[in-house]
Amino acid sequence: MIGYHLDNVRQALYKHTSILLSDRHIISTMNSLSEDFIQLVDLPDELILIIMNKVKPKVLLLCSIITIGNNRLEKLALDMCHSIDLTFDYFQSPNQFIIPRFYTHVMPCIINNIQSLTLSIQHIPNMITFVERYCNGTLPNLTYLKIIIGRQNSMTGTPYTLDIPKTRLESSVFQVEVNKKLVPKNGWIPMSNAARTLSKFLCSLSVPSIVSFELEDDCILTNIFNDDDLFFPESIHLTHIRITLFKFEHCICLLNQLGSQLCSFVVNVMFVSASDAGIFSKIKSISCPNLKRLTMISFRSIIDYENLFLPVLQRLSNVEYLILLLAIEFKRNTPKHFIDGFDLDKDIISYMPHLCQFHFHIRSILPNASHVEIDTIRQTFMKQQQPVDCAIDYFNNNHGQCQIYSLPFIGTRLDFVSNRFPLFDTNKTFSMVTKLLLFDDIQPFESAFFERVSRTLPHLKTLDIMNELEQQEKIETTTNNLEFTHLTTLILFDIHLDYAEQLLCRSHLPSLIELAIDSNILLKIIAQDQQQAKGNCSRIGTLLTSHPFYHSIDTLRNFFPRDSYVPHPKE
């Protein structure tokens, strides 16, 4: 019923006692939880706790011990109930069978012990039903609540990130109108049943003791307020929030409602633009006297940076620790310059007299941008107390961009990286990046470029390529040693065939579970019937195509697992 690594258990027990237990004794001990208690009970509490701590997930231990009739084991298990994580219960998880027992036998016994709760969206209806039935709609001692989407690969448990209609609130696929603007566009779907359930849960659950609330970054709320425009109406102690919002005006409303009690606020916003003129009066009423730690993220390009975003930031004068990860787009009819050190001093730092730590990565985009020397931008940071660097790039689509970033680089995402971006510096500045969007309409990405990417970004999980230029340095061999060990998501919509061949046919992608690809290029890859490509595609759980796949699904079966193809919205 419960699996262990015997050597690890033996070593843990031997570390605390002078007796090295045999495999047979350990197996007997671990298989006796519900039948023969004498062998486990004979051990001291310290050793029993060591064994209990090795059971993963913890809920499996609780379901195995609580209510089986042994008071001593139950007491030891109850002492481990302060933190409950239900996110192991993903689709086809081997542990799905224990959830019904957890709600019927375990949860009623531990309701007053739970201080930290992490659950996936699929568990929200069960949790709502339980608290309404057993505890008047409240979790009395809950102080930390985290919610994740909970959609994971059935074989590895790796989270999916690409959009699937009716199952995701937001997609992390980056698309762009290449000929118009350098703006990554996140696909999104209307308010789904999951989104409505989540919003209901957040607005109705009475959690008077909650201090910290965290929502998984990929879970974007289209609306977080009830009919009275309240968020967590009963949470008077809520001081720490991490959340992703669809509209910036929701962020403003949230700051107005909870600003007086917030100490830490991490917010990721999809759209920063003013749709309602009345929002400006709400900005003036923001007051956050206790807000010391602030992180604001917006990768989709802020449209109203000066009129909307900056006035909100300037109201938060007590912030001591600030992180800004932003993309800023200036309109064509308004002459602007790239954001530089002078702007940060004038528009942000001067409004925060208590600021003692400031980390940032800001990408500003200009149409018809005039050429600026990189040293000119660097000189604007002469007054900064911390090291800062920047990169400037100009593209054939008449747009220019400047990326400024504090060092060490704290972000995990880079957008619109070209051949000219200093990705391969000797200091390994970007080694912790996990999401990378490559874009170039001037030069192709050659094989040597991808080789350096695989070495420079060892933690890369998501790779999105946008380049329709043919490679000039062709590789004649069918395979090479290029490997992206942790790459789970590959996006190949706006590309030349060469890049699909480079990554699917001549690279090793052992962790790949998601592929988004141009339909015509996919057919060409399949027609080549290349063994390396088959191997890379054999574990894919989500296959998205740029256009409806009008060909027979049988065409995909030699390359992809059954049911991996997600029908196009137009199908």
Side-chain angles (χ1 to χ4, degrees):
M1 182 178 181
I2 301 177
Y4 291 80
H5 295 290
L6 296 182
D7 289 340
N8 293 338
V9 175
R10 243 195 346 269
Q11 291 170 10
L13 294 174
Y14 185 64
K15 181 178 180 182
H16 293 83
T17 68
S18 58
I19 301 174
L20 182 60
L21 301 181
S22 67
D23 286 354
R24 183 177 180 181
H25 188 155
I26 294 171
I27 294 173
S28 178
T29 298
M30 293 182 295
N31 289 333
S32 66
L33 292 178
S34 60
E35 298 176 0
D36 181 10
F37 304 119
I38 185 64
Q39 296 183 58
L40 187 59
V41 173
D42 279 348
L43 296 174
D45 289 357
E46 182 183 18
L47 294 185
I48 294 176
L49 288 173
I50 290 173
I51 294 175
M52 287 182 172
N53 280 323
K54 289 187 174 293
V55 181
K56 305 297 180 184
K58 188 185 298 182
V59 171
L60 181 60
L61 170 73
L62 301 180
C63 289
S64 301
I65 289 189
I66 291 178
T67 74
I68 64 174
N70 186 282
N71 292 333
R72 181 185 172 213
L73 294 182
E74 284 192 12
K75 184 179 184 304
L76 290 174
L78 285 172
D79 290 338
M80 305 175 68
C81 292
H82 300 298
S83 178
I84 298 297
D85 186 339
L86 297 179
T87 60
F88 65 88
D89 182 32
Y90 52 86
F91 178 65
Q92 294 184 348
S93 163
N95 297 310
Q96 279 186 312
F97 72 94
I98 69 175
I99 291 299
R101 176 175 173 81
F102 172 76
Y103 279 110
T104 57
H105 290 73
V106 177
M107 192 72 171
C109 299
I110 68 173
I111 191 68
N112 292 318
N113 297 64
I114 299 177
Q115 298 176 11
S116 173
L117 178 63
T118 304
L119 69 161
S120 56
I121 288 178
Q122 70 187 49
H123 281 288
I124 289 177
N126 289 336
M127 190 61 66
I128 291 176
T129 300
F130 177 86
V131 296
E132 288 178 349
R133 179 178 300 172
Y134 289 97
C135 41
N136 297 320
T138 183
L139 297 171
N141 296 310
L142 185 67
T143 59
Y144 172 82
L145 174 64
K146 179 178 180 179
I147 297 174
I148 70 168
I149 292 176
R151 186 173 162 267
Q152 297 162 278
N153 180 272
S154 60
M155 294 181 291
T156 65
T158 306
Y160 288 113
T161 60
L162 295 183
D163 178 39
I164 292 184
K166 299 182 181 179
T167 64
R168 294 283 292 185
L169 303 183
E170 170 68 24
S171 164
S172 60
V173 180
F174 311 129
Q175 299 181 24
V176 65
E177 298 178 35
V178 192
N179 296 321
K180 296 181 180 179
K181 46 181 122 177
L182 288 171
V183 181
K185 291 197 171 182
N186 298 75
W188 65 282
I189 61 176
M191 177 72 85
S192 64
N193 290 334
R196 283 191 292 268
T197 300
L198 179 56
S199 294
K200 176 185 176 183
F201 182 64
L202 298 182
C203 294
S204 64
L205 180 62
S206 176
V207 280
S209 60
I210 192 170
V211 172
S212 176
F213 170 72
E214 183 175 348
L215 187 63
E216 185 184 19
D217 290 345
D218 283 335
C219 189
I220 291 103
L221 293 180
T222 54
N223 190 11
I224 62 173
F225 302 100
N226 61 15
D227 294 336
D228 297 322
D229 286 338
L230 293 177
F231 173 84
F232 275 145
E234 304 295 331
S235 302
I236 59 175
H237 300 293
L238 183 60
T239 58
H240 298 75
I241 294 178
R242 183 184 185 102
I243 196 169
T244 301
L245 303 175
F246 190 67
K247 296 180 180 181
F248 192 61
E249 59 193 71
H250 294 159
C251 174
I252 295 171
C253 293
L254 193 57
L255 288 172
N256 268 302
Q257 182 200 335
L258 300 175
S260 61
Q261 61 194 67
L262 281 182
C263 295
S264 173
F265 187 41
V266 180
V267 60
N268 187 350
V269 183
M270 293 295 102
F271 290 92
V272 182
S273 58
S275 57
D276 179 10
I279 198 68
F280 297 103
S281 62
K282 294 182 180 180
I283 293 176
K284 295 179 181 179
S285 61
I286 292 176
S287 176
C288 302
N290 301 307
L291 184 59
K292 307 298 182 184
R293 294 181 176 271
L294 174 66
T295 298
M296 303 191 80
I297 304 168
S298 183
F299 289 116
R300 199 197 175 278
S301 291
I302 298 171
I303 305 298
D304 292 321
Y305 175 71
E306 292 182 325
N307 297 324
L308 188 63
F309 186 85
L310 279 181
V312 171
L313 202 59
Q314 291 166 358
R315 298 287 302 178
L316 309 176
S317 58
N318 291 316
V319 169
E320 298 176 3
Y321 302 92
L322 176 64
I323 296 176
L324 295 179
L325 304 175
L326 309 173
I328 302 166
E329 177 194 3
F330 291 115
K331 296 180 180 179
R332 185 178 301 274
N333 57 358
T334 306
K336 298 289 182 182
H337 62 273
F338 294 127
I339 300 295
D340 58 24
F342 293 149
D343 295 308
L344 298 188
D345 283 332
K346 173 176 62 71
D347 297 329
I348 299 174
I349 297 175
S350 64
Y351 286 85
M352 297 182 176
H354 306 289
L355 190 63
C356 58
Q357 190 176 90
F358 182 23
H359 294 290
F360 58 87
H361 174 208
I362 299 175
R363 184 172 70 93
S364 50
I365 306 112
L366 281 174
N368 303 316
S370 301
H371 184 80
V372 178
E373 295 293 336
I374 193 168
D375 285 341
T376 301
I377 301 294
R378 286 175 175 152
Q379 288 172 6
T380 65
F381 290 96
M382 295 299 291
K383 293 182 179 180
Q384 294 280 343
Q385 300 297 315
Q386 65 190 113
V388 175
D389 208 348
C390 62
I392 300 178
D393 212 344
Y394 300 90
F395 298 95
N396 281 338
N397 61 12
N398 297 321
H399 280 76
Q401 70 174 9
C402 177
Q403 305 201 42
I404 58 176
Y405 43 89
S406 57
L407 298 173
F409 187 80
I410 64 166
T412 59
R413 169 173 171 170
L414 285 173
D415 287 339
F416 295 98
V417 168
S418 73
N419 283 278
R420 298 162 296 284
F421 189 87
L423 189 62
F424 312 116
D425 63 358
T426 57
N427 296 323
K428 298 182 179 180
T429 301
F430 308 103
S431 61
M432 300 309 295
V433 166
T434 60
K435 292 184 178 182
L436 178 66
L437 169 58
L438 297 175
F439 171 79
D440 205 333
D441 60 359
I442 298 176
Q443 296 175 260
F445 295 118
E446 304 291 356
S447 296
F449 179 89
F450 289 104
E451 292 174 5
R452 292 196 296 273
V453 169
S454 67
R455 293 193 302 268
T456 304
L457 307 181
H459 305 287
L460 189 64
K461 295 181 180 180
T462 299
L463 177 60
D464 188 350
I465 303 174
M466 304 186 67
N467 192 326
E468 298 181 351
L469 301 176
E470 181 180 1
Q471 288 182 333
Q472 299 302 306
E473 303 171 8
K474 300 290 186 178
I475 297 295
E476 299 298 331
T477 58
T478 57
T479 61
N480 59 27
N481 295 323
L482 184 61
E483 179 171 350
F484 291 88
T485 306
H486 302 291
L487 190 70
T488 61
T489 304
L490 182 60
I491 304 169
L492 304 173
F493 278 146
D494 300 293
I495 62 163
H496 190 276
L497 173 64
D498 287 349
Y499 305 114
E501 293 178 339
Q502 173 78 61
L503 292 161
L504 294 176
C505 302
R506 299 199 303 274
S507 302
H508 184 41
L509 311 176
S511 301
L512 188 67
I513 60 171
E514 295 182 300
L515 176 64
I517 189 169
D518 179 89
S519 305
N520 293 327
I521 287 178
L522 175 61
L523 288 173
K524 292 177 182 178
I525 293 294
I526 292 175
Q528 293 181 19
D529 199 30
Q530 213 261 5
Q531 192 60 41
Q532 182 81 359
K534 285 184 176 180
N536 286 329
C537 296
S538 64
R539 293 168 295 277
I540 287 176
T542 299
L543 172 65
L544 302 177
T545 55
S546 59
H547 299 89
F549 198 78
Y550 295 117
H551 301 267
S552 171
I553 296 300
D554 291 339
T555 308
L556 303 174
R557 287 182 178 167
N558 288 333
F559 267 71
F560 301 94
R562 181 181 297 272
D563 300 325
S564 60
Y565 175 67
V566 179
H568 192 276
K570 293 184 179 179
E571 288 186 66

